[in-house]
Amino acid sequence: MAAERDQIRRDLVALLPRLRRFARALTRSADEADDLVQNALERALKNLGGWTPGTRLDAWMFRIMKNCWIDEVRSKAVRAKVFAPEETGERVGMDGARAMEYHLDAQLVRAAMEELPEEQRLAVALVLVEGFSYREAADLLETPIGTLTSRLARGRAAIEARLTEGG
């Protein structure tokens, strides 16, 4: 049992980049995202018995994170925040012009995602960014798959329109 718990903890550590990306999609703030990841991990570690071995640990964690965010919104009435820019120095060692182009492209995509309504933003984050299947994302968001599909289509179209405008 101890070896199993240690393996789950290692798997959780491996999920951290994905959890942080999803948290940023939820919160629109790097600082709040870090807090949300921490809260979700604390909740998961306290309730490891709630995860069924053989099922997807990432889906379980994303559901915990979504529920932590709902709890946070309800308890603090979170105000809309401006997206915080990426920390400086993340791309050290890259070609300067290419790094700048990459950074500007990433900012355009982030800005386009920021303008989406929450339900579209979460659908895009789970399916296009995190790679969940439509069924998995629909289950995580507790919505019918048809609803997820339409939210995703509207989100994609809005992002494409925004990027076409900006380009």
Coordinates of all heavy atoms in Angstrom, one line a residue, residues 94-140:
M94 N 16.8 30.5 -26.2 CA 16.2 30.4 -27.5 C 16.7 31.6 -28.3 O 17.1 32.7 -27.8 CB 14.7 30.5 -27.4 CG 14.0 29.3 -26.8 SD 12.2 29.4 -26.7 CE 11.8 29.2 -28.5
D95 N 16.6 31.5 -29.7 CA 16.8 32.6 -30.6 C 15.9 33.7 -30.2 O 14.7 33.5 -30.1 CB 16.6 32.1 -32.0 CG 16.6 33.2 -33.0 OD1 17.6 33.9 -33.0 OD2 15.6 33.3 -33.8
G96 N 16.5 34.9 -30.1 CA 15.7 36.1 -29.6 C 14.5 36.4 -30.5 O 13.4 36.6 -30.0
A97 N 14.7 36.5 -31.8 CA 13.6 36.8 -32.7 C 12.5 35.7 -32.6 O 11.3 36.0 -32.6 CB 14.1 37.0 -34.1
R98 N 12.9 34.5 -32.7 CA 12.0 33.4 -32.6 C 11.2 33.3 -31.3 O 10.0 33.1 -31.2 CB 12.7 32.0 -32.9 CG 11.7 30.9 -33.3 CD 12.5 29.7 -33.7 NE 12.4 28.8 -32.5 CZ 13.3 28.0 -32.2 NH1 14.4 27.8 -32.9 NH2 13.2 27.2 -31.1
A99 N 12.0 33.6 -30.2 CA 11.3 33.6 -28.9 C 10.3 34.7 -28.8 O 9.2 34.5 -28.3 CB 12.4 33.8 -27.8
M100 N 10.6 35.9 -29.4 CA 9.7 37.0 -29.3 C 8.4 36.7 -30.1 O 7.3 36.9 -29.7 CB 10.3 38.3 -29.8 CG 9.4 39.5 -29.8 SD 8.7 39.8 -28.2 CE 10.1 40.5 -27.4
E101 N 8.6 36.1 -31.3 CA 7.5 35.7 -32.1 C 6.6 34.7 -31.4 O 5.4 34.8 -31.4 CB 8.0 35.1 -33.5 CG 6.9 34.8 -34.5 CD 7.5 34.4 -35.8 OE1 8.5 34.8 -36.2 OE2 6.8 33.5 -36.4
Y102 N 7.3 33.7 -30.8 CA 6.5 32.6 -30.1 C 5.8 33.3 -28.9 O 4.6 33.0 -28.7 CB 7.5 31.6 -29.5 CG 6.9 30.5 -28.7 CD1 6.3 29.4 -29.3 CD2 6.8 30.6 -27.3 CE1 5.7 28.4 -28.6 CE2 6.2 29.6 -26.6 CZ 5.7 28.5 -27.2 OH 5.1 27.6 -26.4
H103 N 6.4 34.2 -28.2 CA 5.8 34.8 -27.1 C 4.6 35.7 -27.5 O 3.5 35.6 -26.9 CB 6.8 35.7 -26.3 CG 6.2 36.3 -25.1 ND1 5.9 35.6 -24.0 CD2 5.9 37.6 -24.8 CE1 5.4 36.5 -23.1 NE2 5.4 37.7 -23.6
L104 N 4.7 36.4 -28.6 CA 3.6 37.2 -29.1 C 2.5 36.3 -29.6 O 1.3 36.7 -29.3 CB 4.1 38.1 -30.2 CG 5.1 39.3 -29.8 CD1 5.6 40.0 -31.0 CD2 4.4 40.2 -28.8
D105 N 2.8 35.2 -30.3 CA 1.7 34.3 -30.7 C 1.0 33.7 -29.5 O -0.2 33.7 -29.5 CB 2.3 33.2 -31.5 CG 2.7 33.6 -32.9 OD1 2.4 34.7 -33.4 OD2 3.5 32.8 -33.6
A106 N 1.7 33.3 -28.5 CA 1.1 32.8 -27.3 C 0.2 33.8 -26.6 O -0.8 33.5 -26.1 CB 2.2 32.3 -26.3
Q107 N 0.7 35.1 -26.6 CA -0.1 36.1 -26.0 C -1.4 36.3 -26.8 O -2.5 36.5 -26.2 CB 0.7 37.4 -25.9 CG 1.7 37.5 -24.8 CD 2.4 38.8 -24.7 OE1 2.7 39.4 -25.8 NE2 2.6 39.3 -23.5
L108 N -1.4 36.3 -28.1 CA -2.6 36.4 -28.9 C -3.6 35.3 -28.6 O -4.8 35.5 -28.5 CB -2.2 36.5 -30.4 CG -1.5 37.7 -30.9 CD1 -1.1 37.5 -32.3 CD2 -2.4 38.9 -30.8
V109 N -3.1 34.1 -28.5 CA -3.9 32.9 -28.2 C -4.5 33.1 -26.8 O -5.7 32.9 -26.6 CB -3.2 31.6 -28.4 CG1 -4.0 30.4 -27.9 CG2 -2.8 31.4 -29.9
R110 N -3.7 33.4 -25.9 CA -4.2 33.6 -24.5 C -5.3 34.7 -24.4 O -6.3 34.5 -23.8 CB -3.0 34.0 -23.6 CG -2.6 32.9 -22.7 CD -1.6 33.3 -21.7 NE -0.4 32.6 -21.8 CZ 0.7 33.1 -22.4 NH1 0.8 34.3 -22.8 NH2 1.8 32.4 -22.6
A111 N -5.0 35.8 -25.1 CA -6.0 36.9 -25.1 C -7.3 36.5 -25.8 O -8.4 36.8 -25.3 CB -5.4 38.1 -25.9
A112 N -7.2 35.7 -26.8 CA -8.4 35.2 -27.5 C -9.1 34.3 -26.6 O -10.4 34.3 -26.5 CB -8.0 34.5 -28.8
M113 N -8.4 33.4 -25.8 CA -9.1 32.5 -24.9 C -9.7 33.3 -23.7 O -10.8 32.9 -23.3 CB -8.1 31.5 -24.3 CG -7.9 30.3 -25.3 SD -7.0 28.9 -24.6 CE -8.1 28.3 -23.3
E114 N -9.1 34.3 -23.3 CA -9.6 35.2 -22.2 C -10.9 35.7 -22.5 O -11.7 35.9 -21.6 CB -8.6 36.3 -21.9 CG -7.4 35.9 -21.2 CD -7.7 35.3 -19.8 OE1 -8.5 35.9 -19.1 OE2 -7.1 34.2 -19.5
E115 N -11.2 36.0 -23.8 CA -12.4 36.7 -24.2 C -13.6 35.7 -24.3 O -14.7 36.1 -24.4 CB -12.2 37.4 -25.5 CG -11.3 38.6 -25.4 CD -11.2 39.3 -26.7 OE1 -11.7 38.9 -27.7 OE2 -10.4 40.3 -26.7
L116 N -13.3 34.4 -24.3 CA -14.3 33.4 -24.4 C -15.1 33.3 -23.1 O -14.6 33.5 -22.0 CB -13.7 32.0 -24.6 CG -13.0 31.8 -25.9 CD1 -12.4 30.4 -25.9 CD2 -13.9 32.0 -27.1
P117 N -16.4 33.1 -23.2 CA -17.2 32.8 -22.0 C -16.6 31.6 -21.3 O -16.0 30.7 -21.9 CB -18.6 32.5 -22.5 CG -18.6 33.0 -23.9 CD -17.2 33.0 -24.4
E118 N -16.8 31.5 -20.0 CA -16.1 30.4 -19.2 C -16.4 29.0 -19.7 O -15.5 28.2 -19.8 CB -16.6 30.5 -17.7 CG -15.9 29.5 -16.9 CD -16.1 29.6 -15.4 OE1 -16.7 30.6 -15.0 OE2 -15.7 28.7 -14.6
E119 N -17.6 28.7 -20.1 CA -17.9 27.4 -20.5 C -17.2 27.0 -21.8 O -16.7 25.9 -22.0 CB -19.4 27.1 -20.7 CG -20.1 28.0 -21.7 CD -20.6 29.3 -21.2 OE1 -20.5 29.6 -20.0 OE2 -21.1 30.1 -22.0
Q120 N -17.0 28.0 -22.7 CA -16.2 27.7 -23.9 C -14.7 27.6 -23.6 O -14.0 26.8 -24.1 CB -16.5 28.8 -25.0 CG -17.8 28.8 -25.5 CD -18.1 30.0 -26.5 OE1 -17.1 30.6 -27.0 NE2 -19.4 30.3 -26.7
R121 N -14.2 28.5 -22.7 CA -12.8 28.5 -22.4 C -12.4 27.2 -21.7 O -11.4 26.6 -22.0 CB -12.6 29.7 -21.4 CG -11.1 29.9 -21.1 CD -10.8 31.2 -20.3 NE -11.3 31.0 -18.9 CZ -12.4 31.5 -18.4 NH1 -13.1 32.4 -19.1 NH2 -12.7 31.3 -17.1
L122 N -13.3 26.6 -20.9 CA -13.0 25.4 -20.2 C -13.0 24.2 -21.2 O -12.2 23.3 -21.2 CB -13.9 25.1 -19.1 CG -13.8 26.1 -17.9 CD1 -14.8 25.7 -16.8 CD2 -12.4 26.2 -17.4
A123 N -14.0 24.2 -22.1 CA -14.0 23.2 -23.2 C -12.8 23.2 -24.0 O -12.1 22.2 -24.3 CB -15.3 23.4 -24.0
V124 N -12.3 24.4 -24.4 CA -11.1 24.5 -25.2 C -9.9 24.1 -24.4 O -9.1 23.3 -24.9 CB -11.0 26.0 -25.7 CG1 -9.6 26.2 -26.3 CG2 -12.0 26.3 -26.8
A125 N -9.8 24.5 -23.2 CA -8.7 24.1 -22.4 C -8.6 22.6 -22.2 O -7.5 22.0 -22.3 CB -8.8 24.8 -21.0
L126 N -9.7 22.0 -21.9 CA -9.7 20.5 -21.7 C -9.4 19.7 -22.9 O -8.6 18.8 -22.9 CB -11.0 20.0 -21.0 CG -11.2 20.5 -19.6 CD1 -12.6 20.1 -19.1 CD2 -10.1 19.8 -18.7
V127 N -10.0 20.1 -24.0 CA -9.9 19.3 -25.3 C -8.7 19.6 -26.1 O -7.9 18.8 -26.4 CB -11.2 19.4 -26.1 CG1 -11.1 18.6 -27.4 CG2 -12.4 18.8 -25.3
L128 N -8.6 20.9 -26.4 CA -7.5 21.3 -27.3 C -6.1 21.5 -26.6 O -5.1 21.2 -27.2 CB -7.9 22.7 -28.0 CG -9.2 22.6 -28.8 CD1 -9.4 23.9 -29.5 CD2 -9.1 21.5 -29.9
V129 N -6.1 22.0 -25.4 CA -4.9 22.2 -24.7 C -4.4 20.9 -23.9 O -3.3 20.5 -24.0 CB -5.0 23.4 -23.7 CG1 -3.7 23.5 -22.9 CG2 -5.3 24.6 -24.5
E130 N -5.4 20.3 -23.2 CA -5.0 19.2 -22.3 C -5.2 17.8 -23.0 O -4.7 16.8 -22.5 CB -5.8 19.2 -21.0 CG -5.4 20.4 -20.2 CD -4.0 20.5 -19.8 OE1 -3.3 19.4 -19.7 OE2 -3.4 21.6 -19.7
G131 N -5.9 17.8 -24.1 CA -6.0 16.5 -24.9 C -7.0 15.5 -24.4 O -6.9 14.4 -24.8
F132 N -7.9 16.0 -23.6 CA -9.0 15.0 -23.1 C -9.9 14.8 -24.3 O -10.1 15.6 -25.2 CB -9.8 15.6 -22.0 CG -9.1 15.6 -20.6 CD1 -8.4 16.6 -20.1 CD2 -9.2 14.4 -19.9 CE1 -7.8 16.5 -18.9 CE2 -8.6 14.3 -18.6 CZ -7.9 15.4 -18.2
S133 N -10.5 13.6 -24.3 CA -11.5 13.3 -25.3 C -12.7 14.1 -25.1 O -12.9 14.6 -24.0 CB -11.8 11.8 -25.3 OG -12.6 11.5 -24.2
Y134 N -13.6 14.2 -26.1 CA -14.9 14.9 -25.8 C -15.6 14.3 -24.7 O -16.2 15.0 -23.8 CB -15.7 14.9 -27.1 CG -15.3 15.8 -28.2 CD1 -13.9 16.1 -28.4 CD2 -16.2 16.2 -29.1 CE1 -13.5 17.0 -29.4 CE2 -15.8 17.1 -30.2 CZ -14.4 17.4 -30.3 OH -14.1 18.2 -31.3
R135 N -15.7 13.0 -24.6 CA -16.4 12.3 -23.6 C -15.8 12.6 -22.2 O -16.5 12.9 -21.3 CB -16.4 10.8 -23.8 CG -16.9 9.9 -22.7 CD -18.3 10.1 -22.1 NE -19.4 10.3 -23.1 CZ -20.4 11.1 -23.0 NH1 -20.6 11.8 -21.9 NH2 -21.3 11.2 -23.9
E136 N -14.5 12.5 -22.1 CA -13.8 12.8 -20.8 C -14.1 14.2 -20.4 O -14.4 14.5 -19.2 CB -12.3 12.5 -20.9 CG -12.0 11.0 -21.1 CD -10.6 10.8 -21.6 OE1 -10.0 11.7 -22.2 OE2 -10.1 9.7 -21.3
A137 N -13.9 15.2 -21.3 CA -14.2 16.6 -21.0 C -15.6 16.8 -20.6 O -15.9 17.6 -19.6 CB -13.8 17.5 -22.2
A138 N -16.5 16.2 -21.3 CA -18.0 16.4 -20.9 C -18.2 15.8 -19.5 O -18.9 16.5 -18.7 CB -18.8 15.6 -22.0
D139 N -17.6 14.7 -19.2 CA -17.8 14.1 -17.9 C -17.2 15.0 -16.8 O -17.8 15.3 -15.8 CB -17.1 12.7 -17.8 CG -17.9 11.7 -18.6 OD1 -19.1 11.9 -19.0 OD2 -17.3 10.6 -18.8
L140 N -16.0 15.6 -17.1 CA -15.3 16.5 -16.1 C -16.1 17.7 -15.9 O -16.2 18.2 -14.8 CB -13.9 16.9 -16.6 CG -12.8 15.9 -16.5 CD1 -11.6 16.3 -17.3 CD2 -12.5 15.7 -15.0

